[in-house]
Every structure is written in C-alpha cells, then in structure tokens.
Amino acid sequence: LQPNEVPAITHVHLDDFPKGKVLPMIDGWGGLTVDVNNAPKGTNFTPLLEGLENDHCQVPHWGYIVKGAVEIQYENGSKETFKEGEAFYMKPGHTAVVLEDLQLVSFSPEDGMHDLSDHLEKKVAEMSKK
C-alpha cells in the first residue's frame, strides 16, 4: 500500500461508481480499490469464484454493510454474518451467500482486485452464454 499517495478522486457518491461492471470499483486510493457491491437476496457467489485458488476469493476486504446481510463462508468451514450497519474485515479464502438484499462498500488491495474483477467478468460472460 502507498498511504502517502493522494488519489485523483478523494470522494465519490455511491451512485457515481462505474456502471456495467460485475464489480464496480475505482482504484488509485493509496494502493487500494473501493468498490460498491449490490446483490439480491439468495445470490451465491461460489459459482463465480470457481477457478480461483481453492475456488474462493483470496483478496482481503475491509468495508461497511450499507444495507442487508451476507453470510461469509471460509475455506476452513467457518462462517460469519455481516449485517447492515456493521464495519467488517473479510479474510482471504472466502465465498458468500446474500441473506438479505445487499449493498456494501469495501476497500481491497488493487492488485488482487484487478485479477478478481477480470475473473468475475469472464465467469459472468461464460454463464450468460449457457
């Protein structure tokens, strides 16, 4: 991380994140990306993560649940639930199932997020062809 690196954009409204992406994100925040994730109840991220190491996301995320709830499932079998109004740390080696319509904002290392975003875009394109 580069905490002394000042990003060109130092604040952004949730409505102003890039559109048309699986994972709308902005990078250049001192080595971090900021993303906003909206997903309806019942969304299971596991199929999108297939093909990654251990079929789980290996990128750590720090963030805040704006609305809803999500169950995080880790490679070791443990689970935790993040709920509306909570700040969180999501350890590497996770997948997730949305329990209530979700909006979350998270901050993650740029390098890992670029690879994750590319993978998610590819998986969604493959799934839409089926």
Side-chain angles (χ1 to χ4, degrees):
L1 300 179
Q2 300 87 31
N4 295 323
E5 180 182 306
V6 178
I9 299 172
T10 58
H11 58 98
V12 63
H13 192 278
L14 292 179
D15 294 335
D16 294 330
F17 275 76
K19 308 288 188 257
K21 299 292 250 175
V22 174
L23 192 58
M25 64 184 188
I26 298 170
D27 43 52
W29 288 42
L32 296 175
T33 64
V34 59
D35 71 271
V36 61
N37 195 324
N38 294 288
K41 178 180 178 176
T43 300
N44 183 344
F45 289 95
T46 305
L48 291 174
L49 301 175
E50 289 176 359
L52 295 175
E53 182 182 333
N54 299 326
D55 295 330
H56 284 70
C57 178
Q58 300 299 325
V59 180
H61 311 286
W62 295 260
Y64 180 77
I65 305 296
V66 178
K67 78 171 193 173
V70 61
E71 180 182 83
I72 307 304
Q73 303 164 351
Y74 293 103
E75 291 173 330
N76 67 5
S78 66
K79 298 178 181 180
E80 55 187 338
T81 300
F82 302 152
K83 298 178 182 176
E84 184 171 320
E86 292 182 340
F88 64 84
Y89 169 60
M90 196 180 304
K91 300 175 281 192
H94 61 268
T95 186
V97 175
V98 177
L99 303 175
E100 298 172 19
D101 289 351
L102 182 68
Q103 182 177 47
L104 68 80
V105 176
S106 69
F107 301 86
S108 312
E110 272 183 16
D111 291 340
M113 284 300 283
H114 287 207
D115 293 340
L116 177 62
S117 179
D118 291 347
H119 178 84
L120 294 176
E121 292 290 339
K122 181 180 173 187
K123 290 299 275 188
V124 167
E126 288 172 3
M127 294 172 135
S128 66
K129 290 179 183 177
K130 293 180 181 181

